[in-house]
Amino acid sequence: MNPQSPFEKLPEDILHRIHSLLPVQDAACAACVSHAFLHSWRCYTKLTLNDSTLRLTHIKFEERKIYFIDRVDKILKNHHDKGVKVETLNLILTPCTNIKASYLDRWLRRTVKSGFKDLYLEMPLSMKKIYNFPCSVLSDEGAASSIQFLKIGSCAFRPTSTLGSMGRLKILSLSFVHITEEGLQHLLSKSSTLEELRIFACNGIICLKIPCTMHHLKILDVQSFNMPRVVEIDAPNLCYFKYDSALPEIYVRNRSQLKHVQLSSARPSGVLFYARTSLPSIARNVESLILVGCGENANTPLLQSKLPHLKNLEIRLGAGCPTSYDVFSLVSFLDASPALESFTLHASHYPYLSYVSNDINILHFKIDI
């Protein structure tokens, strides 16, 4: 310890601010060389705990679990015992494939309290037993009402009507989470201020419904291995919609603000055909459109329906798209888009496109061969 460090002379609020901007690994190191930073570390509110920040990368992977649990337990216990409120917990448990649920429950109950803002919990995909997230920690109104960012990965999440009102939640991300449609509805009903919703590989959701009460929702990103059969969107201010899976029935009731759409699938699903036949009815005001097709069973049809506001169009034809597909049928999109300014086509396995002329009446035209 160096009692003469210039940091010792700084006002406490400024020193805390400097310390809070450091990564957790550097913040802990600083606490070893300065009494002021040691005091600040005991009040450190933003914790990112993973292999790297805990300095475990030099230990054999199969031996890290014991060290990981011990260090996380000590840090969170120290904060809890000293009454330090944690605002951010970023917990990535890569080496803990068979961690006892009691450890995680204790860590979350010590941490998720009134004033808590951001939680990122990432379990290993290879967990031997699925961890059940303790929704009771969010039943407390103090904790629920302060949380702003919630990202959960590779566990079971079963919210019920006892969930507290999350009146400040802005971003919700669920990845490889076991959650039912009813559970998701409970969660959304308590999250009226939600602005961004991302759902990845949550295969228990068969019918995805976004209710009209989601007035603040602007971004919806859905990626799934087993597609929902129906997607119903009634969020009045949604402006960005990304969907990556085999295409289900999609209904968009309030679509006036929906300006940016991306549709893609790693399976043969007729994305281009779907976009040309159905998109004008669900996103007529779209201005930016990205389509990723890996398998087209039918050429893009010519229709009378228009996309009058579309300015930027990008189409990517994957290697799975059959060479029998008539790429020139994509002119249907040009015909339907009188305001088009930019058109980019990625089609590396259609060499004859190198003969396409650039003499098209739009501001930017590009073909990647």
Side-chain angles (χ1 to χ4, degrees):
M1 292 282 184
N2 180 10
Q4 303 304 318
S5 169
F7 287 109
E8 308 290 335
K9 301 177 182 179
L10 290 173
E12 186 173 307
D13 58 338
I14 294 178
L15 188 136
H16 284 336
R17 175 59 179 163
I18 294 172
H19 205 198
S20 70
L21 296 174
L22 294 174
V24 66
Q25 178 177 313
D26 296 333
C29 290
C32 297
V33 297
S34 164
H35 286 288
F37 276 138
L38 176 61
H39 175 72
S40 178
W41 169 245
R42 290 169 178 164
C43 303
Y44 200 75
T45 61
K46 298 179 180 180
L47 300 177
T48 297
L49 306 176
N50 55 45
D51 286 8
S52 178
T53 60
L54 295 175
R55 294 183 177 273
L56 300 177
T57 53
H58 67 287
I59 301 174
K60 290 183 179 179
F61 184 81
E62 59 273 13
E63 298 175 1
R64 291 181 197 175
K65 173 191 167 185
I66 296 174
Y67 296 95
F68 187 95
I69 292 174
D70 180 65
R71 294 188 185 182
V72 171
D73 203 54
K74 286 180 178 177
I75 290 172
L76 296 182
K77 183 178 186 300
N78 178 65
H79 276 63
H80 178 265
D81 291 349
K82 295 184 179 298
V84 178
K85 289 185 177 181
V86 177
E87 292 184 356
T88 299
L89 178 61
N90 190 328
L91 185 58
I92 304 176
L93 297 100
T94 306
C96 303
T97 56
N98 61 343
I99 186 173
K100 292 181 179 179
S102 57
Y103 286 114
L104 289 162
D105 290 348
R106 180 166 70 244
W107 295 343
L108 292 173
R109 291 194 173 101
R110 282 175 176 171
T111 306
V112 183
K113 296 181 178 297
S114 178
F116 185 81
K117 294 180 180 179
D118 304 329
L119 175 62
Y120 176 21
L121 176 65
E122 184 67 44
M123 307 295 296
L125 283 173
S126 55
M127 281 288 291
K128 296 181 179 179
K129 185 177 180 181
I130 296 174
Y131 174 63
N132 288 295
F133 184 91
C135 290
S136 57
V137 300
L138 295 175
S139 297
D140 176 75
E141 286 294 339
S145 63
S146 63
I147 195 163
Q148 299 178 16
F149 175 92
L150 181 60
K151 183 175 182 179
I152 301 176
S154 305
C155 63
F157 192 51
R158 298 185 175 92
T160 65
S161 56
T162 62
L163 203 66
S165 177
M166 293 186 284
R168 295 184 181 177
L169 185 63
K170 305 291 186 184
I171 300 174
L172 173 63
S173 178
L174 305 174
S175 177
F176 292 99
V177 170
H178 297 259
I179 187 171
T180 64
E181 296 167 25
E182 183 180 13
L184 182 61
Q185 289 306 308
H186 282 311
L187 187 55
L188 295 182
S189 70
K190 300 290 186 175
S191 311
S192 59
T193 59
L194 196 65
E195 296 179 1
E196 184 175 326
L197 173 60
R198 298 185 183 273
I199 300 175
F200 179 76
C202 298
N203 298 328
I205 301 173
I206 306 301
C207 180
L208 176 61
K209 296 183 179 181
I210 309 299
C212 61
T213 54
M214 309 299 292
H215 293 287
H216 299 276
L217 188 67
K218 296 180 180 178
I219 298 173
L220 176 60
D221 184 348
V222 181
Q223 301 179 60
S224 179
F225 296 140
N226 295 326
M227 67 172 186
R229 295 173 185 168
V230 178
V231 175
E232 297 181 2
I233 303 172
D234 203 5
N237 293 302
L238 186 71
C239 61
Y240 176 87
F241 176 47
K242 178 181 178 182
Y243 188 87
D244 186 354
S245 185
L247 293 167
E249 297 179 50
I250 299 178
Y251 302 97
V252 182
R253 291 188 175 87
N254 288 300
R255 53 183 179 267
S256 61
Q257 301 302 314
L258 186 54
K259 304 293 180 65
H260 308 280
V261 175
Q262 178 171 340
L263 302 176
S264 58
S265 176
R267 307 173 181 176
S269 56
V271 169
L272 303 180
F273 186 92
Y274 179 90
R276 189 65 192 93
T277 56
S278 301
L279 200 62
S281 64
I282 65 175
R284 182 173 174 78
N285 294 334
V286 65
E287 295 180 359
S288 176
L289 176 62
I290 298 176
L291 302 173
V292 183
C294 293
E296 297 295 317
N297 298 321
N299 294 328
T300 306
L302 285 167
L303 298 171
Q304 294 299 318
S305 54
K306 299 286 186 180
L307 296 168
H309 304 286
L310 183 61
K311 296 179 180 179
N312 303 298
L313 173 62
E314 181 176 347
I315 296 177
R316 306 171 192 166
L317 298 178
C321 197
T323 55
S324 59
Y325 177 73
D326 182 7
V327 179
F328 291 102
S329 70
L330 295 176
V331 73
S332 175
F333 283 101
L334 306 184
D335 182 61
S337 311
L340 196 64
E341 297 177 358
S342 172
F343 174 41
T344 302
L345 174 61
H346 304 269
S348 59
H349 60 299
Y350 289 92
Y352 59 82
L353 283 177
S354 60
Y355 298 103
V356 175
S357 169
N358 284 0
D359 186 19
I360 296 180
N361 189 28
I362 52 179
L363 298 182
H364 173 71
F365 176 69
K366 177 184 178 183
I367 296 180
D368 289 342
I369 303 298

